[in-house]
Amino acid sequence: EEILLMDNITKVYANGFVANKDVTLSVNKGEIHALCGENGAGKSTLMKVLFGSETPEEGRIVIKGEEVKINNPLEAIALGVGMVWQHFMLCPSLTIAENLILGMEPKKFGKFGPLNMAQANKVAQEACEKYGFKLDVTRKVEELAVGNKQKVEILKALIRGAEILILDEPTAVLTPQETAELFVQLRHLKELGHTIIFISHHLDEVKELCDRLTVLRLGKSVGTAIVADVTQQD
Ligand code: ADP
Ligand code: ADP
């Protein structure tokens, strides 16, 4: 079942550079879908369009069968799209719990409001348990290893209701051990019914983790395939 369709997206930057030309991306609910291609192929641009941080010149976006207009990241989040960039956007001097609830509406936390630490810790701890993350939510982000900072970013997106989670080259900053842990985590999210778009240019990672892949080249879509079909040994 298709959860996301980006249909014939064209994105031209202000300097006239065509970063996406008639790109189509179809993603099924509950799959881990790789978005592959060399540096400069247009992967980040396509995801910026999906997240509402770039506006396309042409094309349609359909989420759960309904055509949507995504004008900014808040609208993307409201539609269940979550983004984990390569560069983390966390406040180092705040705790994990504070980072997780930062900027969220007080009404989501009952009568206490988001500044009540005990309440914040409870919400954060419950989210960790729900999604299977092992984190001490009372620790400051600046004390964390990169892999744990990334977990906080993923949790932030999930707490905000991300059904479609986009990860922009998430393994680039991780150790092999952290990468292995991330893959376990992503498979668990898949089991919970989440859909994952995994941006990568490592075929070995795609082979290990993903169900299907779409390849971009020079701003155009080369096509979509089932990973097992294109990596089969004979
Ligand atoms: P990828 O994520 O596949 O590496 P990007 O979408 O980041 O590719 O970039 C695609 C191309 O668009 C690159 O050549 C890049 O330099 C160019 N590009 C990205 N952002 C801009 C911008 N704001 N203005 C002009 N060109 C851009
Ligand atoms: P990413 O690694 O996410 O693809 P980059 O490091 O390529 O991002 O680019 C960082 C920022 O600079 C982005 O916001 C991108 O849109 C912008 N950018 C990239 N290439 C160009 C370019 N040729 N002209 C103007 N802006 C660009």
Side-chain angles (χ1 to χ4, degrees), residues 36-194:
C36 305
E38 300 290 316
N39 274 329
K43 307 182 294 294
S44 295
T45 299
L46 189 67
M47 291 302 102
K48 284 174 188 170
V49 167
L50 177 56
F51 201 55
S53 33
E54 293 288 357
T55 308
E57 274 55 48
E58 282 177 56
R60 297 184 311 142
I61 298 177
V62 180
I63 294 181
K64 294 181 190 166
E66 240 178 81
E67 186 169 347
V68 294
K69 291 272 174 257
I70 306 177
N71 298 300
N72 56 57
L74 283 178
E75 292 182 5
I77 290 165
L79 288 164
V81 178
M83 179 73 77
V84 177
W85 299 110
Q86 255 185 63
H87 307 282
F88 304 141
M89 295 177 213
L90 301 169
C91 292
S93 61
L94 298 182
T95 67
I96 292 176
E98 287 170 310
N99 268 278
L100 287 176
I101 65 158
L102 207 65
M104 289 188 72
E105 291 171 66
K107 67 168 191 244
K108 295 223 165 119
F109 304 104
K111 63 183 177 177
F112 298 104
L115 292 178
N116 180 308
M117 281 292 265
Q119 186 74 2
N121 288 343
K122 185 161 170 281
V123 168
Q125 193 49 50
E126 282 171 2
C128 284
E129 278 156 30
K130 177 173 177 191
Y131 298 112
F133 288 84
K134 287 197 188 71
L135 290 168
D136 175 356
V137 299
T138 64
R139 287 192 63 187
K140 285 191 176 181
V141 162
E142 63 197 1
E143 299 166 3
L144 303 179
V146 173
N148 283 338
K149 286 181 188 164
Q150 188 179 67
K151 287 181 194 169
V152 179
E153 285 284 14
I154 294 172
L155 262 174
K156 241 176 96 172
L158 292 169
I159 283 184
R160 283 156 180 73
E163 291 177 58
I164 302 171
L165 184 67
I166 306 159
L167 297 119
D168 186 6
E169 305 209 16
T171 63
V173 292
L174 300 182
T175 64
Q177 168 68 32
E178 288 171 333
T179 296
E181 236 187 283
L182 173 69
F183 284 11
V184 171
Q185 189 68 61
L186 295 180
R187 288 193 193 98
H188 180 60
L189 292 177
K190 175 183 155 154
E191 274 171 29
L192 293 176
H194 292 268

